[in-house]
């Protein structure tokens, strides 16, 4: 079945350093979504990418969707302590409504 | 505006007892509905999803079941809980898939139920 893999599982950075998490799907995705979950909270939607090769930015966050629509990345420039949390990618495959999440990357930022 | 309600927030249940978690959505029609489970420090495991009343797909064979008795109501149940059923259960909804399947949008999550089976 469809699988969405995400690496790394954990990342500890010093405040001000950059951070990247990578997402790979075993099947072609109709879209890729990114969510952030703060400790003790629920996942909150960040962004959706639909087009092959699409790049979107939200302030210090840059999201990219691969040309083959099977991989994606999230890059945070100059991390801050408010960036702490777990970042998940998620994808729809086809028209089934099924939404599969990656395992998440937990980011810790040392002040 | 749309809202999602999930309850209870926390639950402690003995092994072998039944379970019923309820999730309701307001402000939308024919949503896609999802149940996920998150073990401590782990990812989101899709348990069930539903694109319509009585249309439920099961992703993981186990002692859990789901029902959708009304358009905006999604219930997760178990007849006999196991210790391994402990975890953080999240209900989510997303807008319905378009007829041509070209539009999929984000999922909105409930606050979650933290279940401890003892």
């Amino acid at each position: 079945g469809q699988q969405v893999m995400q690496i790394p599982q954990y990342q500890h950075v010093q405040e001000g350093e950059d951070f990247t998490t990578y997402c790979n799907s075993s099947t072609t995705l109709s879209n890729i979504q990114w969510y952030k979950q703060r400790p003790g909270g629920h996942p909150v939607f960040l962004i959706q990418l639909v087009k092959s090769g699409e790049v979107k930015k939200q302030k210090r966050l840059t999201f990219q969707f691969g040309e083959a629509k099977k991989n994606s990345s999230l890059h945070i420039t100059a991390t801050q302590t408010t960036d702490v949390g777990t970042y998940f990618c998620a994808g729809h495959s086809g028209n089934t409504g099924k939404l599969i999440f990656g395992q998440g990357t937990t980011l810790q930022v040392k002040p | 505006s749309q809202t999602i309600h999930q309850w209870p927030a926390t639950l402690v249940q003995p092994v072998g007892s039944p379970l019923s978690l309820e999730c309701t959505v307001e402000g939308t029609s024919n949503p896609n509905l999802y149940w996920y489970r998150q073990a401590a420090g782990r990812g989101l495991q899709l348990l069930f999803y539903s694109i319509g009343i009585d249309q439920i797909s099961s992703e993981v064979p186990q002692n859990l079941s789901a029902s959708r008795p009304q358009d905006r109501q999604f219930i997760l149940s178990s007849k006999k809980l196991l210790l391994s059923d402990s975890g953080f259960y999240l209900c989510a909804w997303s807008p319905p898939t378009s007829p041509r399947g070209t539009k999929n949008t984000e999922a909105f999550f409930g606050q979650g139920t933290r279940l401890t089976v003892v």
Side-chain angles (χ1 to χ4, degrees):
Chain A
Q2 178 192 1
Q3 289 187 338
V4 178
M5 309 298 292
Q6 199 173 344
I7 58 170
Q9 187 175 0
Y10 299 99
Q11 185 85 55
H12 295 252
V13 300
Q14 197 72 38
E15 188 173 21
E17 292 181 338
D18 293 355
F19 159 76
T20 304
T21 173
Y22 300 91
C23 181
N24 285 283
S25 171
S26 58
T27 59
T28 301
L29 301 170
S30 54
N31 63 47
I32 192 82
Q33 300 171 0
W34 286 91
Y35 294 77
K36 178 182 179 181
Q37 183 179 27
R38 295 183 183 276
H42 60 277
V44 175
F45 174 81
L46 294 176
I47 206 162
Q48 174 173 293
L49 305 171
V50 178
K51 299 177 183 176
S52 170
E54 188 172 12
V55 178
K56 287 188 176 180
K57 291 190 176 184
Q58 288 180 349
K59 297 181 180 179
R60 294 177 294 104
L61 278 62
T62 301
F63 305 85
Q64 187 170 13
F65 200 9
E67 294 290 341
K69 301 185 75 172
K70 294 179 73 173
N71 58 76
S72 181
S73 65
L74 158 59
H75 179 81
I76 302 179
T77 303
T79 55
Q80 299 175 0
T81 55
T82 53
D83 295 326
V84 164
T86 300
Y87 293 85
F88 292 97
C89 63
H92 283 101
S93 180
N95 186 28
T96 65
K98 181 177 173 180
L99 182 60
I100 296 292
F101 280 75
Q103 302 97 316
T105 296
T106 298
L107 173 64
Q108 294 284 354
V109 180
K110 290 177 279 189
Chain B
S1 62
Q2 302 90 358
T3 55
I4 178 168
H5 302 278
Q6 184 183 343
W7 67 94
T10 59
L11 192 59
V12 180
Q13 291 284 100
V15 170
S17 64
L19 172 73
S20 180
L21 301 181
E22 188 164 345
C23 174
T24 59
V25 180
E26 296 177 358
T28 187
S29 297
N30 195 31
N32 290 345
L33 296 172
Y34 306 88
W35 278 111
Y36 291 90
R37 179 171 61 197
Q38 186 175 33
R42 304 293 293 276
L44 294 166
Q45 180 187 31
L46 179 62
L47 301 176
F48 301 94
Y49 70 99
S50 171
I51 61 173
I53 292 176
D54 295 329
Q55 292 179 278
I56 299 170
S57 298
S58 173
E59 289 298 299
V60 186
Q62 54 196 334
N63 67 320
L64 297 173
S65 62
S67 61
R68 186 170 177 172
Q70 299 180 47
D71 180 44
R72 291 168 290 177
Q73 184 184 27
F74 207 24
I75 298 172
L76 182 69
S77 304
S78 174
K79 292 182 179 179
K80 288 186 178 182
L81 283 169
L82 306 172
L83 286 174
S84 58
D85 291 325
S86 294
F88 189 41
Y89 288 81
L90 287 155
C91 179
W93 76 274
S94 72
T97 306
S98 64
R100 294 184 178 181
T102 56
K103 181 181 179 182
N104 287 311
T105 58
E106 68 268 26
F108 300 89
F109 284 83
Q111 297 297 314
T113 297
R114 204 163 297 279
L115 172 67
T116 303
V117 182
V118 296

